[in-house]
Amino acid sequence: MTTPSDFTPACPIPISDYPQVLLAHGGGGKLMHQLIEKMFGPAFKNPLLDQQHDGATLEINGAKLAFTTDSHVVHPLFFPGGDIGDLAVNGAVNDLAMCGARPLYLSAGFILEEGLPMNSLWRVVRSMQRAAAAAGVQFVTGDTKVVDRGKGDGIFINTAGIGVVEHNLTISPKAVRPGDAVLLNGDIGRHGIAIMAVREGLEFESAIESDTAPLNDVVLKLIAAGIEIHCLRDITRGGIASTFNEIASASGVNVAMDESAIPVREDVRGACEILGFDPLYVANEGRFAAFVAAKDAERALAILRAHPLGKEAAIIGTVTADPAGLVTMKSRIGATRIVDMLSGEQLPRIC
Amino acid sequence: MTTPSDFTPACPIPISDYPQVLLAHGGGGKLMHQLIEKMFGPAFKNPLLDQQHDGATLEINGAKLAFTTDSHVVHPLFFPGGDIGDLAVNGAVNDLAMCGARPLYLSAGFILEEGLPMNSLWRVVRSMQRAAAAAGVQFVTGDTKVVDRGKGDGIFINTAGIGVVEHNLTISPKAVRPGDAVLLNGDIGRHGIAIMAVREGLEFESAIESDTAPLNDVVLKLIAAGIEIHCLRDITRGGIASTFNEIASASGVNVAMDESAIPVREDVRGACEILGFDPLYVANEGRFAAFVAAKDAERALAILRAHPLGKEAAIIGTVTADPAGLVTMKSRIGATRIVDMLSGEQLPRIC
C-alpha cells in the first residue's frame, strides 16, 4: 500500500486553506475552477484537455469526434419539468452540441443506493429512454454499481457521450473575439429555481418548471445555415455569470452584457428575490450562449426564434477588447458594473 | 412534475420480489443480470447495446471505435497494491482492450463527498496520472460534483473510454464456439482478497496485493501475432464463474474448466478459506480470459507467458457444445460439477 509520503509533489491546493473538499468545489464557481486549474489540469495535462471546452474534440482515423462526460447528482431526483434521468441525457447531449457535434452515442453509469425504491429506478430509466429518443441518441454501453445505504443518495448517473463533428468551424472559448455578438436562446434561471422551490417547499401560483431540453437540433440549425459561430456554451452550474467569466478569461476579452436584454420570467425573478438569488448565477439546463460574428447576429437570432427552443432568444451583449478578461453588465439605468464569478456554492447539487 | 401513474408500463422487475434495490443488484451476479436483461436492456434496446460486451464497438465516418464506461465505488479507497484511482484507469483501459481496441482517450467524472481530505483526492489524482501514463492513455474531458457529507463515500469515479479497433476479428461472447481453448493470464482472486483483508482487518504473513493492471499491451500482442481470438473478457466482479456463465449463456455453449489448471496462489486460497469465499467468484482487476481457436492455443499461451502480465498464464479449459449454456468444472479428483452464476452479492463495492 502506498502512503502519502510516497508522493513527492505536495498537494497543489493549499491544505492550510482547504484541508477538505467543500460543497463549493463542485459548484461551478471559483473553488471548482481552482481545483481544475491547479490540480486536475496540470495532473492530466495534454493539448486536448487544454481546449477548456464542454467536451474534447478529437480526430481518430480521419473521423472528427467530440467526447464528453457529466455526473449527475441532482437532489431531489424528481422535480417540476424533469428528473435526474432526462437531465443526464440532455447534459451529455448539450455538451456535445456545444462542441458543434452531432450527438450519437451515450454511456450510462449508475451508482444506486441500497434501498432505492425499484419503481424510482424504473421511472428514471423510462425518462432516460424518452429523452434519448427525443435527442436522437442511443445508449450503447453501461455500468451499474450499488453502494450501501447511507453511502449514496438514491441515484447518481454518469453519462458520457460521443458525437461527430461535421463542420470546419473552430468553436472554442479561445475563438471569441471583440465585436462578436452574444446570443441566448431564452429566459434564464428556471432550472435552478425549480429545484430550489421543491427543496424549500415553496409554492408558486403556477409551478416553475426546469428548462431541461436537448439543444443539439437548434445548434445544428445554426451550423447548417453557415452562421460564423466562434463559441457555444450551455449555461449550467454557476449561471451566465460564471459561464461568461470562463469565456472572458479564456479569450482575454470583455463580455459586455446588457441587463435589459436578458430574458428572465417574472415568476423566476420573484422567486429569486424570495430565495435571495441573482438570476445571473442560477443554473439552466436548456439554455446556451452563442458567440457569433457580428455580421451574422441578426440571422442567427432569426434561426433561434424560429425554433421551439429559442422563441425567447435575444442578443444580450457584445464582446469588446477591454476590460480584458472581465464580464461587465450595463444596468437598466445605464451604469456598468463588473459581474464576478461566483466564489462559493450558491445552489448545491443542482444537476 | 410527472408522477408514477404517468408510466404505463409496469416496472419490469417484480416489485413484490424486489421493492428496493439491494447491494446484490450491483454485485455482478444473477440479480445484476436480471436488472440488465429485464430493465436496462429492453429500455435502451439497440443493436450496439445488444453486443453484450464490456464495451460497444461502433463505426463513425469509417473509424472503428470501442466505447465503454465504468463507475468505481471501491471501499476502502486505498488498499494493498492500488487505489480507486488506478482501478478507475485500468477498468476503462481493460474494457476497451477486451473489445480488442487500442485505448486512446478517457473521461473522468468525480463525485466527491464534502469533507474528503484534500490530500486523499490528490493521492488519487496522482495515481490516475501514473496509471494513465503506464497504459498510454490521455484524460481529455472531465467533470466534478460534490455531494453533502453522508450522501457519498469519499470518492466515486466514473471513467469512460474511447479506443480504436485496428483489426478485423469478431471478438464477442457470441463468437465463442465448441473447440475453443480458454486461456487465463494469471492467478485469480487477489484483488477481492486484498480489499476484503483490509476491510476485515486481516493480516497475512506477506500482504496480498491487488492484481490491478492495464491489459491493453498484452492483448494487442495477441492480436498482432494473428491469434484467432473469438472472445476476450476481463475477470472482474463475480469472478471467473460469473464471467464464464455470461459467455456460456450468450453463445449457447459449455465452458468446461479444469480445476487443477486454474492458478490460485496458496496465500489467496488460504485467505479464501478463512473468509469463506470461493476463488472462482472473487473479483480480479488484472486478469482476463481469451477464447481462442484450438489451433492457436499453444502459441497464444507462449505470447502470454512472455509478457510481464502473463507469466502464470494457463489454458484452463475448453469450450464444448453440451451442456449448452452452462459452466462446468472437472475437480482435481475427476468429478465434474456445474458452476453457477453467483446469485447474490459476495463482495460488495469491490471495484
Side-chain angles (χ1 to χ4, degrees):
Chain A
M1 187 169 355
T2 50
T3 60
S5 63
D6 293 340
F7 294 83
T8 320
C11 179
I13 305 286
I15 299 293
S16 50
D17 296 346
Y18 298 104
Q20 298 185 330
V21 170
L22 307 177
L23 276 173
H25 282 111
K30 278 182 186 168
L31 286 188
M32 193 175 94
H33 284 87
Q34 189 191 54
L35 198 60
I36 293 170
E37 278 166 26
K38 294 198 175 176
M39 187 185 290
F40 298 138
F44 301 131
K45 191 169 178 59
N46 63 67
L48 293 168
L49 191 61
D50 289 348
Q51 292 169 343
Q52 295 178 32
H53 213 313
D54 285 332
T57 51
L58 338 149
E59 200 164 319
I60 301 179
N61 283 357
K64 265 178 78 178
L65 306 174
F67 180 34
T68 185
T69 189
D70 261 316
S71 294
H72 298 270
V73 300
V74 65
H75 175 76
L77 298 175
F78 304 93
F79 48 82
D83 59 46
I84 191 172
D86 47 45
L87 215 58
V89 172
N90 292 336
V93 164
N94 292 348
D95 279 352
L96 293 171
M98 296 307 122
C99 300
R102 187 159 56 86
L104 296 176
Y105 302 114
L106 300 189
S107 65
F110 293 94
I111 299 176
L112 309 177
E113 183 191 8
E114 179 188 21
L116 171 76
M118 190 63 77
N119 253 329
S120 298
L121 177 60
W122 176 230
R123 272 181 77 182
V124 168
V125 167
R126 288 273 297 152
S127 171
M128 292 171 77
Q129 181 189 32
R130 281 192 301 259
V137 295
Q138 293 183 320
F139 280 99
V140 295
T141 190
D143 177 61
T144 308
K145 295 291 189 315
V146 182
V147 296
D148 350 20
R149 209 182 283 264
K151 299 295 182 182
D153 198 11
I155 309 181
F156 300 147
I157 305 175
N158 177 282
T159 41
I162 299 179
V164 60
V165 177
E166 297 167 317
H167 59 78
N168 291 310
L169 296 163
T170 300
I171 298 176
S172 156
K174 293 177 183 170
V176 169
R177 61 198 62 163
D180 283 357
V182 184
L183 285 83
L184 201 63
N185 70 315
D187 64 294
I188 59 169
R190 272 197 275 143
H191 176 72
I193 294 303
I195 299 281
M196 290 311 289
V198 180
R199 284 199 209 149
E200 304 292 326
L202 292 185
E203 300 221 358
F204 304 109
E205 269 182 53
S206 59
I208 295 175
E209 297 201 329
S210 168
D211 61 333
T212 178
L215 296 168
N216 49 333
D217 188 63
V218 61
V219 164
L220 291 177
K221 283 200 165 51
L222 289 174
I223 292 173
I227 300 294
E228 188 184 320
I229 300 170
H230 294 160
C231 184
L232 298 166
R233 265 300 159 105
D234 55 341
I235 314 286
T236 55
R237 276 182 289 180
I240 61 174
S242 301
T243 302
F244 289 169
N245 267 286
E246 284 171 38
I247 290 170
S249 163
S251 57
V253 296
N254 165 236
V255 178
M257 298 190 285
D258 180 353
E259 185 175 17
S260 65
I262 301 171
V264 184
R265 270 177 26 178
E266 270 317 305
D267 54 357
V268 171
R269 194 180 298 280
C272 278
E273 272 165 25
I274 293 168
L275 292 161
F277 296 139
D278 180 339
L280 297 179
Y281 293 92
V282 177
N284 311 271
E285 290 292 335
R287 294 294 171 256
F288 74 105
F291 290 73
V292 308
K295 67 174 172 64
D296 287 343
E298 288 299 332
R299 205 156 56 89
L301 183 63
I303 292 166
L304 290 179
R305 288 197 172 158
H307 195 279
L309 293 175
K311 283 182 210 157
E312 316 287 325
I315 298 172
I316 61 152
T318 55
V319 176
T320 64
D322 294 305
L326 295 182
V327 177
T328 54
M329 186 166 76
K330 196 177 80 181
S331 74
R332 289 168 196 278
I333 56 166
T336 295
R337 67 174 175 95
I338 290 171
V339 175
D340 204 358
M341 183 171 276
L342 193 64
S343 60
E345 174 83 13
Q346 188 184 32
L347 302 169
R349 297 186 57 190
I350 208 73
C351 60
Chain B
M1 187 167 355
T2 49
T3 61
S5 63
D6 292 340
F7 293 83
T8 319
C11 180
I13 305 286
I15 299 294
S16 49
D17 296 346
Y18 298 105
Q20 298 185 331
V21 170
L22 308 176
L23 276 173
H25 282 110
K30 279 184 187 168
L31 286 188
M32 194 175 94
H33 283 87
Q34 189 191 55
L35 198 60
I36 293 170
E37 279 167 26
K38 294 198 173 177
M39 188 186 290
F40 297 140
F44 301 132
K45 190 170 179 58
N46 63 68
L48 293 168
L49 190 63
D50 290 347
Q51 292 169 343
Q52 296 179 32
H53 214 316
D54 284 335
T57 50
L58 337 149
E59 198 164 321
I60 301 179
N61 284 356
K64 266 178 77 178
L65 306 174
F67 180 34
T68 186
T69 187
D70 261 316
S71 294
H72 299 269
V73 300
V74 66
H75 175 78
L77 297 175
F78 304 94
F79 48 82
D83 60 46
I84 192 171
D86 46 47
L87 215 58
V89 172
N90 292 337
V93 164
N94 293 349
D95 279 351
L96 294 171
M98 296 306 122
C99 301
R102 187 159 57 85
L104 296 175
Y105 302 114
L106 301 189
S107 65
F110 293 94
I111 299 177
L112 310 177
E113 184 191 7
E114 180 189 21
L116 172 77
M118 190 63 79
N119 252 330
S120 298
L121 177 61
W122 177 230
R123 271 181 79 182
V124 169
V125 166
R126 288 274 296 151
S127 171
M128 293 171 76
Q129 180 189 34
R130 281 192 302 257
V137 295
Q138 293 185 320
F139 279 100
V140 295
T141 189
D143 177 61
T144 308
K145 295 290 187 318
V146 182
V147 295
D148 349 21
R149 209 181 284 261
K151 300 294 182 183
D153 197 12
I155 309 181
F156 300 147
I157 305 175
N158 177 283
T159 41
I162 298 180
V164 61
V165 177
E166 297 167 316
H167 60 78
N168 290 311
L169 296 163
T170 300
I171 298 176
S172 157
K174 293 177 183 171
V176 170
R177 62 197 64 163
D180 284 358
V182 185
L183 285 83
L184 202 63
N185 71 313
D187 64 294
I188 58 170
R190 272 198 276 142
H191 177 72
I193 294 303
I195 300 281
M196 290 311 290
V198 181
R199 283 199 209 150
E200 304 293 325
L202 292 185
E203 301 221 357
F204 305 107
E205 268 182 52
S206 60
I208 294 175
E209 296 202 330
S210 169
D211 62 333
T212 178
L215 296 168
N216 49 332
D217 188 60
V218 61
V219 164
L220 292 177
K221 284 201 163 49
L222 289 175
I223 292 173
I227 300 294
E228 188 184 320
I229 300 170
H230 295 159
C231 185
L232 298 166
R233 265 299 160 105
D234 55 342
I235 314 286
T236 55
R237 275 182 290 179
I240 60 172
S242 301
T243 302
F244 289 168
N245 266 287
E246 284 172 39
I247 290 170
S249 162
S251 58
V253 296
N254 165 236
V255 178
M257 299 190 285
D258 179 354
E259 185 175 15
S260 65
I262 301 170
V264 184
R265 269 178 26 179
E266 270 317 306
D267 54 356
V268 171
R269 194 182 297 281
C272 278
E273 272 164 26
I274 293 168
L275 292 161
F277 294 139
D278 181 339
L280 297 180
Y281 292 92
V282 176
N284 311 273
E285 290 292 336
R287 293 294 172 256
F288 75 106
F291 290 73
V292 309
K295 68 175 172 64
D296 287 345
E298 288 299 332
R299 205 156 58 88
L301 183 64
I303 292 166
L304 290 179
R305 287 198 172 155
H307 194 280
L309 293 176
K311 282 182 213 158
E312 315 288 326
I315 298 173
I316 62 153
T318 55
V319 176
T320 63
D322 293 306
L326 295 182
V327 177
T328 54
M329 186 166 76
K330 195 177 79 181
S331 74
R332 289 168 196 279
I333 55 165
T336 295
R337 66 174 176 95
I338 290 172
V339 176
D340 204 358
M341 183 171 276
L342 192 65
S343 62
E345 173 84 15
Q346 188 185 34
L347 301 168
R349 299 186 56 190
I350 209 73
C351 62

